[in-house]
Amino acid sequence: MKKLIIIKYGELTTKKDNISFFIKTLRDNIKASLININHNIIYDKGRMFIETDNFDEVVKVLTTTFGIHEINIAYEIDPSSIEEISSYLIKLLEDKTFKSFKVVTKRSDKNYPLTSVEISKKLGGLILGSNSNLVVDVHNPELFINIEIRSKKTYIYFEKIKGLGGYPVGTLGKGMLMLSGGIDSPVAGYLALKRGIRLECVYFESPPHTSDAAKNKVLTLAKELFYYSGYLKVHVVKFTDIQEAIYKNIPHDYMITIMRRMMYLISEKLANKNNAKVIINGESVGQVASQTLTSMAVINEVIKMPVLRPLACFDKSEIITLSKKIGTYDISILPYEDCCTIFVPDHPVINPKSDVAIEYESLIDYDQLIKAAIRNVETIKISAKDADFENIL
Ligand code: ATP
Ligand code: MG
């Protein structure tokens, strides 16, 4: 009897046309994440199987991999008669403490002489015959006994471990995440990864107004996202000259509007340069002056590329709950300054006008400043120690 892991994909199976691409990407992502763990992946119609001697570590990785619906630790036996299956099963049950059980059978081998219901009934009867203390409870059993009869092999498992769902990262192409040190943007990144978007990140820093500690905080957040995504890049943009030019030349109520227009312009350029199709950020409607609908429209109009705002309609409390769940909250609340917070005016405009923004912008030579910022980008690769994710991009 061989012990192995079964992987079931959920939503993937609805993507009929490019299912093989989805599965190959999932397999490549799993392989890359398990690079330091001894394992072997086998694919067989609608299922993936992993052989390993390190079940705990493999399951840990699989529970942070998008595109997986369910994980089972299973025992594999050759296709056998009901009597043979039951003798394996009774052996496995010796270690378990339970009183009530239910057998659930899935039969994908339609040539097997009994139906799923007949198999469950027969196995149930044989288990009861082996131990008179047990009872069947179809509604609320202490133990589910799952049997899967496939054409090549039969599988027995007891536990269903929930996967993260979503699509395998990379199946939907790439996006450029505006990653700050705050609570929102890592959560926005997580949700984009969940839809299969591979991420590159852009972080705007303003040294000496912002510190290396602030930058390291953002890189630490990126590392947390790495566990869900595999390979990740962070483009660090020096924003000091642009922010100082804005501070010196532009009426302060429009400072944030113009600053964010500049961030959008740079993010779009970096996205194009790196073959990303969308920009992603952590904006949430109404959260601050730059996130009113009017502000968002006036800021958005400087670029053509679509902007995904996964948190647009989330309450802050919902975002916090999610950030705790994915493990970024404790890092996000560390008290380091951000370039947005150090130049904050007392009264930022809530309903900026597009023509006013354009007029104010012309007071600085932003074209040249943006070109210089792009020239000086520092790109940092986040990957597991010794891991080589390069070949799966
Ligand atoms: P967060 O929204 O992540 O908690 P924040 O509240 O400091 O951080 P906001 O002022 O709400 O940021 O900005 C909205 C979004 O703009 C952020 O979610 C993030 O996507 C982007 N952003 C803000 N500051 C930066 C920065 N320094 N570098 C990159 N992106 C940024
Ligand atoms: Mg925010």
Side-chain angles (χ1 to χ4, degrees):
M1 207 169 4
K2 190 163 76 184
K3 192 174 166 191
L4 44 57
I5 293 170
I6 304 180
I7 295 173
K8 296 175 186 163
Y9 354 105
E11 223 176 316
L12 283 197
T13 45
T14 60
K15 301 264 162 220
K16 289 236 161 27
D17 294 344
N18 48 9
I19 183 93
S20 56
F21 168 63
F22 273 64
I23 289 167
K24 187 186 174 306
T25 308
L26 177 61
R27 188 187 170 131
D28 287 348
N29 290 350
I30 293 173
K31 234 166 136 177
S33 302
L34 292 179
I35 195 146
N36 292 322
I37 305 172
N38 199 10
H39 74 282
N40 181 34
I41 303 177
I42 301 152
Y43 170 72
D44 179 45
K45 284 187 216 106
R47 292 274 186 275
M48 230 180 261
F49 301 93
I50 302 188
E51 298 170 337
T52 182
D53 46 18
N54 194 344
F55 285 86
D56 287 350
E57 282 302 308
V58 173
V59 168
K60 205 163 126 197
V61 167
L62 296 178
T63 49
T64 58
T65 302
F66 289 115
I68 296 176
H69 171 66
E70 193 181 288
I71 303 149
N72 311 117
I73 296 178
Y75 298 88
E76 182 186 83
I77 54 179
D78 285 326
S80 345
S81 68
I82 289 292
E83 286 71 22
E84 281 170 310
I85 297 176
S86 86
S87 72
Y88 281 115
L89 196 47
I90 289 163
K91 223 177 274 158
L92 288 172
L93 293 176
E94 279 169 9
D95 302 342
K96 303 204 174 282
T97 32
F98 67 102
K99 271 213 141 53
S100 59
F101 71 95
K102 176 182 180 179
V103 181
V104 181
T105 305
K106 198 170 173 341
R107 187 193 56 142
S108 58
D109 175 12
K110 298 299 174 205
N111 294 322
Y112 200 82
L114 301 173
T115 67
S116 307
V117 177
E118 286 167 345
I119 296 167
S120 296
K121 273 193 181 157
K122 281 213 156 193
L123 282 175
L126 289 166
I127 294 166
L128 288 175
S130 76
N131 184 342
S132 55
N133 294 324
L134 298 177
V135 290
V136 170
D137 181 347
V138 289
H139 301 296
N140 198 15
E142 278 172 57
L143 185 72
F144 278 96
I145 298 171
N146 300 285
I147 311 289
E148 258 193 65
I149 303 207
R150 298 172 67 82
S151 51
K152 288 189 195 147
K153 300 279 179 187
T154 294
Y155 298 88
I156 302 170
Y157 58 87
F158 304 101
E159 237 186 300
K160 294 182 172 184
I161 304 164
K162 206 168 171 322
L164 282 181
Y167 297 138
V169 172
T171 48
L172 269 294
K174 211 196 284 177
M176 184 62 70
L177 171 69
M178 297 169 70
L179 182 63
S180 71
I183 294 171
D184 303 337
S185 49
V187 178
Y190 170 89
L191 291 173
L193 287 168
K194 185 170 187 180
R195 300 321 289 162
I197 303 172
R198 188 166 287 288
L199 296 182
E200 294 200 9
C201 308
V202 51
Y203 166 59
F204 297 90
E205 64 165 1
S206 289
H209 312 294
T210 60
S211 62
D212 269 355
K215 174 177 165 184
N216 285 334
K217 180 185 173 187
V218 172
L219 295 177
T220 310
L221 286 169
K223 273 188 195 142
E224 288 300 312
L225 288 179
F226 161 83
Y227 292 115
Y228 299 97
S229 81
Y231 185 86
L232 205 72
K233 273 185 192 170
V234 182
H235 304 282
V236 180
V237 177
K238 295 262 180 304
F239 207 47
T240 317
D241 291 348
I242 295 176
Q243 276 201 296
E244 287 180 352
I246 292 172
Y247 189 71
K248 276 184 206 137
N249 297 293
I250 288 174
H252 283 189
D253 56 339
Y254 267 72
M255 242 167 54
I256 298 275
T257 311
I258 308 293
M259 187 187 83
R260 293 198 64 79
R261 282 162 66 102
M262 298 299 123
M263 280 186 173
Y264 268 49
L265 279 169
I266 293 171
S267 301
E268 183 183 52
K269 286 197 194 324
L270 283 175
N272 281 326
K273 208 169 152 183
N274 292 284
N275 202 23
K277 303 285 179 260
V278 292
I279 290 169
I280 300 145
N281 67 34
E283 288 174 346
S284 178
V285 174
Q287 196 182 78
V288 286
S290 61
Q291 289 163 34
T292 63
L293 294 185
T294 316
S295 278
M296 282 161 100
V298 169
I299 291 162
N300 206 152
E301 71 188 9
V302 294
I303 61 168
K304 280 210 185 96
M305 186 171 280
V307 179
L308 296 191
R309 300 175 178 88
L311 306 178
C313 300
F314 279 45
D315 289 348
K316 192 77 188 187
S317 61
E318 293 169 320
I319 300 171
I320 287 173
T321 304
L322 203 45
S323 78
K324 286 181 179 163
K325 192 183 138 208
I326 67 172
T328 53
Y329 181 76
D330 289 338
I331 305 160
S332 290
I333 57 171
L334 294 173
Y336 294 117
E337 69 292 342
D338 183 69
C339 70
C340 289
T341 48
I342 47 175
F343 291 98
V344 174
D346 289 339
H347 300 290
V349 60
I350 287 170
N351 287 306
K353 303 257 178 313
S354 177
D355 49 350
V356 177
I358 292 167
E359 187 195 324
Y360 287 168
E361 239 157 42
S362 66
L363 300 173
I364 58 173
D365 189 2
Y366 66 89
D367 257 353
Q368 287 310 315
L369 288 167
I370 286 176
K371 275 192 188 127
I374 300 268
R375 259 198 319 274
N376 293 322
V377 165
E378 174 197 8
T379 298
I380 297 164
K381 293 178 184 177
I382 313 265
S383 60
K385 198 164 165 280
D386 303 323
D388 175 17
F389 292 101
E390 207 75 68
N391 59 358
I392 62 165
L393 288 182

